[in-house]
mmCIF file of all heavy atoms in Angstrom:
data_model
loop_
_atom_site.group_PDB
_atom_site.id
_atom_site.type_symbol
_atom_site.label_atom_id
_atom_site.label_comp_id
_atom_site.label_asym_id
_atom_site.label_seq_id
_atom_site.Cartn_x
_atom_site.Cartn_y
_atom_site.Cartn_z
ATOM 1 N N VAL A 1 -20.250 30.503 26.272
ATOM 2 C CA VAL A 1 -19.903 29.771 25.073
ATOM 3 C C VAL A 1 -19.136 28.493 25.508
ATOM 4 O O VAL A 1 -18.180 28.593 26.305
ATOM 5 C CB VAL A 1 -19.043 30.591 24.119
ATOM 6 C CG1 VAL A 1 -18.571 29.716 22.905
ATOM 7 C CG2 VAL A 1 -19.697 31.810 23.619
ATOM 8 N N GLU A 2 -19.620 27.311 25.109
ATOM 9 C CA GLU A 2 -18.929 26.082 25.419
ATOM 10 C C GLU A 2 -18.207 25.565 24.163
ATOM 11 O O GLU A 2 -17.341 24.794 24.352
ATOM 12 C CB GLU A 2 -19.944 25.103 25.936
ATOM 13 C CG GLU A 2 -20.576 25.442 27.273
ATOM 14 C CD GLU A 2 -21.574 24.479 27.780
ATOM 15 O OE1 GLU A 2 -21.791 23.350 27.167
ATOM 16 O OE2 GLU A 2 -22.278 24.776 28.792
ATOM 17 N N ASP A 3 -18.594 25.822 22.994
ATOM 18 C CA ASP A 3 -17.977 25.391 21.761
ATOM 19 C C ASP A 3 -17.440 26.459 20.890
ATOM 20 O O ASP A 3 -18.303 27.210 20.315
ATOM 21 C CB ASP A 3 -18.950 24.572 20.992
ATOM 22 C CG ASP A 3 -18.461 23.655 19.780
ATOM 23 O OD1 ASP A 3 -17.184 23.652 19.707
ATOM 24 O OD2 ASP A 3 -19.196 23.066 19.133
ATOM 25 N N PRO A 4 -16.213 26.780 20.930
ATOM 26 C CA PRO A 4 -15.587 28.019 20.237
ATOM 27 C C PRO A 4 -15.882 27.960 18.733
ATOM 28 O O PRO A 4 -16.027 26.928 18.114
ATOM 29 C CB PRO A 4 -14.142 27.963 20.559
ATOM 30 C CG PRO A 4 -13.790 26.483 20.725
ATOM 31 C CD PRO A 4 -15.138 25.999 21.502
ATOM 32 N N GLY A 5 -15.882 29.114 18.097
ATOM 33 C CA GLY A 5 -16.087 29.091 16.661
ATOM 34 C C GLY A 5 -16.883 30.341 16.197
ATOM 35 O O GLY A 5 -17.141 31.223 16.924
ATOM 36 N N THR A 6 -17.200 30.303 14.900
ATOM 37 C CA THR A 6 -18.059 31.497 14.348
ATOM 38 C C THR A 6 -19.565 31.066 14.466
ATOM 39 O O THR A 6 -19.851 29.979 14.113
ATOM 40 C CB THR A 6 -17.584 31.704 12.970
ATOM 41 O OG1 THR A 6 -16.220 32.079 12.988
ATOM 42 C CG2 THR A 6 -18.518 32.930 12.338
ATOM 43 N N TYR A 7 -20.321 31.961 14.905
ATOM 44 C CA TYR A 7 -21.798 31.755 15.085
ATOM 45 C C TYR A 7 -22.553 32.869 14.336
ATOM 46 O O TYR A 7 -21.886 34.001 14.083
ATOM 47 C CB TYR A 7 -22.188 31.958 16.517
ATOM 48 C CG TYR A 7 -21.793 30.850 17.376
ATOM 49 C CD1 TYR A 7 -20.479 30.530 17.833
ATOM 50 C CD2 TYR A 7 -22.675 29.752 17.778
ATOM 51 C CE1 TYR A 7 -20.023 29.437 18.558
ATOM 52 C CE2 TYR A 7 -22.303 28.793 18.526
ATOM 53 C CZ TYR A 7 -21.014 28.552 18.927
ATOM 54 O OH TYR A 7 -20.597 27.478 19.774
ATOM 55 N N LYS A 8 -23.759 32.528 13.875
ATOM 56 C CA LYS A 8 -24.560 33.622 13.210
ATOM 57 C C LYS A 8 -25.808 33.731 14.093
ATOM 58 O O LYS A 8 -26.336 32.688 14.638
ATOM 59 C CB LYS A 8 -24.887 33.256 11.779
ATOM 60 C CG LYS A 8 -25.677 31.985 11.671
ATOM 61 C CD LYS A 8 -25.919 31.773 10.157
ATOM 62 C CE LYS A 8 -26.765 30.528 9.931
ATOM 63 N NZ LYS A 8 -27.038 30.250 8.511
ATOM 64 N N CYS A 9 -26.387 34.939 14.077
ATOM 65 C CA CYS A 9 -27.588 35.110 14.914
ATOM 66 C C CYS A 9 -28.754 35.040 13.830
ATOM 67 O O CYS A 9 -28.671 34.832 12.738
ATOM 68 C CB CYS A 9 -27.667 36.467 15.622
ATOM 69 S SG CYS A 9 -27.674 37.873 14.678
ATOM 70 N N GLU A 10 -30.079 35.262 14.520
ATOM 71 C CA GLU A 10 -31.284 35.221 13.710
ATOM 72 C C GLU A 10 -31.235 36.235 12.583
ATOM 73 O O GLU A 10 -31.909 36.113 11.553
ATOM 74 C CB GLU A 10 -32.411 35.445 14.656
ATOM 75 C CG GLU A 10 -32.469 34.338 15.707
ATOM 76 C CD GLU A 10 -33.433 34.449 16.806
ATOM 77 O OE1 GLU A 10 -33.404 35.715 17.394
ATOM 78 O OE2 GLU A 10 -34.264 33.686 17.085
ATOM 79 N N ASP A 11 -30.415 37.286 12.708
ATOM 80 C CA ASP A 11 -30.311 38.327 11.574
ATOM 81 C C ASP A 11 -29.204 38.004 10.609
ATOM 82 O O ASP A 11 -28.927 38.925 9.845
ATOM 83 C CB ASP A 11 -30.169 39.668 12.391
ATOM 84 C CG ASP A 11 -30.400 40.881 11.471
ATOM 85 O OD1 ASP A 11 -31.312 40.701 10.714
ATOM 86 O OD2 ASP A 11 -29.734 41.949 11.593
ATOM 87 N N ASN A 12 -28.586 36.852 10.829
ATOM 88 C CA ASN A 12 -27.487 36.484 9.961
ATOM 89 C C ASN A 12 -26.070 37.184 10.242
ATOM 90 O O ASN A 12 -25.278 37.221 9.358
ATOM 91 C CB ASN A 12 -27.825 36.390 8.465
ATOM 92 C CG ASN A 12 -28.519 35.165 8.155
ATOM 93 O OD1 ASN A 12 -28.301 34.163 8.719
ATOM 94 N ND2 ASN A 12 -29.362 35.304 7.184
ATOM 95 N N SER A 13 -26.024 37.971 11.289
ATOM 96 C CA SER A 13 -24.803 38.603 11.619
ATOM 97 C C SER A 13 -23.947 37.603 12.109
ATOM 98 O O SER A 13 -24.391 36.562 12.771
ATOM 99 C CB SER A 13 -25.048 39.719 12.761
ATOM 100 O OG SER A 13 -25.797 40.716 12.205
ATOM 101 N N ARG A 14 -22.633 37.634 11.800
ATOM 102 C CA ARG A 14 -21.643 36.673 12.330
ATOM 103 C C ARG A 14 -20.758 37.165 13.345
ATOM 104 O O ARG A 14 -20.434 38.341 13.315
ATOM 105 C CB ARG A 14 -20.976 36.099 11.025
ATOM 106 C CG ARG A 14 -21.773 35.116 10.251
ATOM 107 C CD ARG A 14 -21.030 34.632 9.003
ATOM 108 N NE ARG A 14 -21.716 33.577 8.286
ATOM 109 C CZ ARG A 14 -22.949 33.590 7.825
ATOM 110 N NH1 ARG A 14 -23.643 34.741 7.800
ATOM 111 N NH2 ARG A 14 -23.400 32.571 7.080
ATOM 112 N N TRP A 15 -20.245 36.339 14.315
ATOM 113 C CA TRP A 15 -19.331 36.699 15.429
ATOM 114 C C TRP A 15 -18.625 35.506 15.747
ATOM 115 O O TRP A 15 -19.142 34.359 15.851
ATOM 116 C CB TRP A 15 -20.227 37.252 16.548
ATOM 117 C CG TRP A 15 -19.471 38.166 17.381
ATOM 118 C CD1 TRP A 15 -18.746 37.900 18.535
ATOM 119 C CD2 TRP A 15 -19.089 39.556 17.112
ATOM 120 N NE1 TRP A 15 -18.050 38.970 19.081
ATOM 121 C CE2 TRP A 15 -18.343 40.035 18.215
ATOM 122 C CE3 TRP A 15 -19.376 40.369 16.154
ATOM 123 C CZ2 TRP A 15 -17.939 41.349 18.162
ATOM 124 C CZ3 TRP A 15 -18.993 41.756 16.230
ATOM 125 C CH2 TRP A 15 -18.187 42.191 17.275
ATOM 126 N N THR A 16 -17.274 35.714 16.052
ATOM 127 C CA THR A 16 -16.399 34.598 16.479
ATOM 128 C C THR A 16 -16.337 34.620 17.990
ATOM 129 O O THR A 16 -15.959 35.652 18.625
ATOM 130 C CB THR A 16 -15.046 34.649 15.827
ATOM 131 O OG1 THR A 16 -15.271 34.620 14.424
ATOM 132 C CG2 THR A 16 -14.230 33.492 16.194
ATOM 133 N N TYR A 17 -16.569 33.511 18.727
ATOM 134 C CA TYR A 17 -16.428 33.272 20.084
ATOM 135 C C TYR A 17 -15.436 32.278 20.460
ATOM 136 O O TYR A 17 -15.201 31.317 19.814
ATOM 137 C CB TYR A 17 -17.897 32.940 20.708
ATOM 138 C CG TYR A 17 -18.946 33.946 20.483
ATOM 139 C CD1 TYR A 17 -19.894 33.835 19.461
ATOM 140 C CD2 TYR A 17 -19.067 34.966 21.441
ATOM 141 C CE1 TYR A 17 -20.968 34.826 19.426
ATOM 142 C CE2 TYR A 17 -20.079 35.908 21.330
ATOM 143 C CZ TYR A 17 -20.936 35.789 20.311
ATOM 144 O OH TYR A 17 -21.972 36.657 20.232
ATOM 145 N N ASN A 18 -14.933 32.536 21.703
ATOM 146 C CA ASN A 18 -14.045 31.558 22.411
ATOM 147 C C ASN A 18 -14.767 30.983 23.606
ATOM 148 O O ASN A 18 -15.600 31.491 24.058
ATOM 149 C CB ASN A 18 -12.779 32.259 22.893
ATOM 150 C CG ASN A 18 -11.900 32.731 21.698
ATOM 151 O OD1 ASN A 18 -11.549 31.927 20.748
ATOM 152 N ND2 ASN A 18 -11.586 34.023 21.740
ATOM 153 N N VAL A 19 -14.288 29.817 24.001
ATOM 154 C CA VAL A 19 -14.795 29.169 25.290
ATOM 155 C C VAL A 19 -14.760 30.262 26.488
ATOM 156 O O VAL A 19 -13.787 30.928 26.655
ATOM 157 C CB VAL A 19 -14.026 27.950 25.645
ATOM 158 C CG1 VAL A 19 -14.481 27.334 27.036
ATOM 159 C CG2 VAL A 19 -14.261 26.823 24.568
ATOM 160 N N GLY A 20 -15.932 30.199 27.096
ATOM 161 C CA GLY A 20 -15.999 31.268 28.252
ATOM 162 C C GLY A 20 -16.618 32.572 27.837
ATOM 163 O O GLY A 20 -16.947 33.356 28.696
ATOM 164 N N ASP A 21 -16.602 32.967 26.608
ATOM 165 C CA ASP A 21 -17.241 34.202 26.149
ATOM 166 C C ASP A 21 -18.663 34.135 26.514
ATOM 167 O O ASP A 21 -19.227 33.119 26.697
ATOM 168 C CB ASP A 21 -16.994 34.344 24.635
ATOM 169 C CG ASP A 21 -15.530 34.845 24.280
ATOM 170 O OD1 ASP A 21 -14.755 35.128 25.250
ATOM 171 O OD2 ASP A 21 -15.308 34.873 23.091
ATOM 172 N N GLU A 22 -19.346 35.309 26.433
ATOM 173 C CA GLU A 22 -20.750 35.448 26.603
ATOM 174 C C GLU A 22 -21.435 35.696 25.285
ATOM 175 O O GLU A 22 -20.977 36.621 24.707
ATOM 176 C CB GLU A 22 -21.097 36.305 27.731
ATOM 177 C CG GLU A 22 -22.525 36.289 28.221
ATOM 178 C CD GLU A 22 -22.663 37.346 29.348
ATOM 179 O OE1 GLU A 22 -22.338 36.819 30.595
ATOM 180 O OE2 GLU A 22 -23.261 38.342 29.212
ATOM 181 N N PHE A 23 -22.375 35.001 24.929
ATOM 182 C CA PHE A 23 -23.117 35.379 23.669
ATOM 183 C C PHE A 23 -23.755 36.711 23.792
ATOM 184 O O PHE A 23 -24.406 37.040 24.677
ATOM 185 C CB PHE A 23 -24.225 34.368 23.377
ATOM 186 C CG PHE A 23 -23.614 33.006 22.775
ATOM 187 C CD1 PHE A 23 -23.760 31.907 23.587
ATOM 188 C CD2 PHE A 23 -23.187 32.899 21.568
ATOM 189 C CE1 PHE A 23 -23.253 30.691 23.175
ATOM 190 C CE2 PHE A 23 -22.769 31.723 21.094
ATOM 191 C CZ PHE A 23 -22.746 30.541 21.885
ATOM 192 N N ARG A 24 -23.430 37.581 22.914
ATOM 193 C CA ARG A 24 -23.898 39.024 22.915
ATOM 194 C C ARG A 24 -25.342 39.117 22.196
ATOM 195 O O ARG A 24 -25.794 38.250 21.627
ATOM 196 C CB ARG A 24 -22.884 39.873 22.267
ATOM 197 C CG ARG A 24 -22.707 39.531 20.771
ATOM 198 C CD ARG A 24 -21.718 40.394 20.137
ATOM 199 N NE ARG A 24 -22.336 41.637 19.834
ATOM 200 C CZ ARG A 24 -21.711 42.723 19.408
ATOM 201 N NH1 ARG A 24 -20.503 42.781 19.285
ATOM 202 N NH2 ARG A 24 -22.429 43.804 19.202
ATOM 203 N N ALA A 25 -25.809 40.335 22.421
ATOM 204 C CA ALA A 25 -27.046 40.601 21.749
ATOM 205 C C ALA A 25 -26.815 40.721 20.270
ATOM 206 O O ALA A 25 -25.614 40.874 19.865
ATOM 207 C CB ALA A 25 -27.623 42.028 22.235
ATOM 208 N N CYS A 26 -27.843 40.790 19.424
ATOM 209 C CA CYS A 26 -27.588 40.876 17.970
ATOM 210 C C CYS A 26 -26.812 42.208 17.719
ATOM 211 O O CYS A 26 -27.348 43.186 18.131
ATOM 212 C CB CYS A 26 -28.935 40.839 17.240
ATOM 213 S SG CYS A 26 -28.851 41.074 15.548
ATOM 214 N N PRO A 27 -25.794 42.174 16.899
ATOM 215 C CA PRO A 27 -25.023 43.439 16.525
ATOM 216 C C PRO A 27 -25.817 44.365 15.583
ATOM 217 O O PRO A 27 -25.704 45.576 15.816
ATOM 218 C CB PRO A 27 -23.889 42.874 15.750
ATOM 219 C CG PRO A 27 -23.603 41.427 16.084
ATOM 220 C CD PRO A 27 -25.048 40.991 16.469
ATOM 221 N N SER A 28 -26.861 43.794 14.970
ATOM 222 C CA SER A 28 -27.625 44.725 14.047
ATOM 223 C C SER A 28 -28.774 45.390 14.810
ATOM 224 O O SER A 28 -29.098 46.514 14.578
ATOM 225 C CB SER A 28 -28.172 43.886 12.946
ATOM 226 O OG SER A 28 -27.298 43.320 12.137
ATOM 227 N N THR A 29 -29.450 44.597 15.700
ATOM 228 C CA THR A 29 -30.653 45.143 16.372
ATOM 229 C C THR A 29 -30.500 45.412 17.771
ATOM 230 O O THR A 29 -31.313 46.324 18.308
ATOM 231 C CB THR A 29 -31.848 44.067 16.278
ATOM 232 O OG1 THR A 29 -31.348 42.941 17.131
ATOM 233 C CG2 THR A 29 -31.980 43.582 14.863
ATOM 234 N N GLY A 30 -29.402 44.867 18.361
ATOM 235 C CA GLY A 30 -29.258 45.189 19.806
ATOM 236 C C GLY A 30 -30.137 44.468 20.799
ATOM 237 O O GLY A 30 -30.099 44.634 21.897
ATOM 238 N N LYS A 31 -30.937 43.499 20.143
ATOM 239 C CA LYS A 31 -31.861 42.766 20.918
ATOM 240 C C LYS A 31 -31.272 41.327 21.296
ATOM 241 O O LYS A 31 -30.452 40.797 20.543
ATOM 242 C CB LYS A 31 -33.215 42.507 20.205
ATOM 243 C CG LYS A 31 -33.793 43.908 20.033
ATOM 244 C CD LYS A 31 -35.099 43.695 19.312
ATOM 245 C CE LYS A 31 -35.791 45.173 19.108
ATOM 246 N NZ LYS A 31 -37.064 45.092 18.293
ATOM 247 N N PRO A 32 -31.862 40.665 22.343
ATOM 248 C CA PRO A 32 -31.403 39.290 22.626
ATOM 249 C C PRO A 32 -31.758 38.396 21.380
ATOM 250 O O PRO A 32 -32.737 38.612 20.775
ATOM 251 C CB PRO A 32 -32.250 38.838 23.846
ATOM 252 C CG PRO A 32 -32.555 40.254 24.476
ATOM 253 C CD PRO A 32 -32.759 41.220 23.340
ATOM 254 N N THR A 33 -30.884 37.372 21.231
ATOM 255 C CA THR A 33 -31.074 36.563 20.030
ATOM 256 C C THR A 33 -30.550 35.163 20.273
ATOM 257 O O THR A 33 -29.929 34.979 21.382
ATOM 258 C CB THR A 33 -30.248 37.137 18.789
ATOM 259 O OG1 THR A 33 -30.654 36.395 17.607
ATOM 260 C CG2 THR A 33 -28.703 37.169 19.012
ATOM 261 N N VAL A 34 -30.709 34.206 19.395
ATOM 262 C CA VAL A 34 -30.160 32.898 19.411
ATOM 263 C C VAL A 34 -28.993 32.831 18.422
ATOM 264 O O VAL A 34 -29.196 33.261 17.281
ATOM 265 C CB VAL A 34 -31.216 31.911 19.049
ATOM 266 C CG1 VAL A 34 -30.618 30.500 18.863
ATOM 267 C CG2 VAL A 34 -32.279 31.900 20.101
ATOM 268 N N TRP A 35 -27.877 32.359 18.809
ATOM 269 C CA TRP A 35 -26.752 32.051 17.951
ATOM 270 C C TRP A 35 -26.535 30.708 17.591
ATOM 271 O O TRP A 35 -26.655 29.853 18.404
ATOM 272 C CB TRP A 35 -25.401 32.600 18.768
ATOM 273 C CG TRP A 35 -25.395 34.022 18.967
ATOM 274 C CD1 TRP A 35 -25.913 34.804 20.019
ATOM 275 C CD2 TRP A 35 -24.925 35.105 18.118
ATOM 276 N NE1 TRP A 35 -25.706 36.184 19.911
ATOM 277 C CE2 TRP A 35 -25.003 36.360 18.646
ATOM 278 C CE3 TRP A 35 -24.169 34.977 16.811
ATOM 279 C CZ2 TRP A 35 -24.721 37.482 18.176
ATOM 280 C CZ3 TRP A 35 -23.754 36.240 16.319
ATOM 281 C CH2 TRP A 35 -23.982 37.458 16.948
ATOM 282 N N GLU A 36 -26.222 30.439 16.286
ATOM 283 C CA GLU A 36 -25.994 29.019 15.864
ATOM 284 C C GLU A 36 -24.632 28.979 15.169
ATOM 285 O O GLU A 36 -24.324 29.834 14.393
ATOM 286 C CB GLU A 36 -27.050 28.758 14.784
ATOM 287 C CG GLU A 36 -26.986 27.335 14.287
ATOM 288 C CD GLU A 36 -28.139 26.941 13.308
ATOM 289 O OE1 GLU A 36 -29.234 26.873 13.879
ATOM 290 O OE2 GLU A 36 -27.820 26.850 12.101
ATOM 291 N N LYS A 37 -23.906 27.979 15.555
ATOM 292 C CA LYS A 37 -22.525 27.812 15.100
ATOM 293 C C LYS A 37 -22.549 27.541 13.466
ATOM 294 O O LYS A 37 -23.408 26.868 13.028
ATOM 295 C CB LYS A 37 -21.805 26.647 15.638
ATOM 296 C CG LYS A 37 -20.316 26.685 15.367
ATOM 297 C CD LYS A 37 -19.616 25.661 16.325
ATOM 298 C CE LYS A 37 -18.118 25.798 15.980
ATOM 299 N NZ LYS A 37 -17.377 24.714 16.703
ATOM 300 N N THR A 38 -21.720 28.209 12.746
ATOM 301 C CA THR A 38 -21.606 28.080 11.474
ATOM 302 C C THR A 38 -20.172 27.606 10.965
ATOM 303 O O THR A 38 -19.222 27.910 11.800
ATOM 304 C CB THR A 38 -21.969 29.317 10.621
ATOM 305 O OG1 THR A 38 -21.837 29.175 9.276
ATOM 306 C CG2 THR A 38 -21.111 30.561 11.134
#
C-alpha cells in the first residue's frame, strides 16, 4: 500500500490500510482481488 485509507474490493468488502501494508485477498471469497480506495 502506498496511499493509506479505506479500500473496497471487487466484492465490496472494505478494509483500512496503512502505508507499507500488503493488500490482502478478498475477506469474503479468500481469492486475489483488486482494491480501490474509497
Side-chain angles (χ1 to χ4, degrees):
V1 176
E2 295 180 7
D3 191 2
T6 301
Y7 287 75
K8 65 180 178 179
C9 72
E10 295 166 312
D11 195 36
N12 277 329
S13 296
R14 285 175 168 66
W15 204 260
T16 301
Y17 291 101
N18 294 307
V19 172
D21 288 348
E22 192 173 282
F23 286 108
R24 59 179 285 166
C26 175
S28 299
T29 67
K31 296 180 179 179
T33 189
V34 173
W35 291 90
E36 182 176 290
K37 191 171 184 183
T38 178

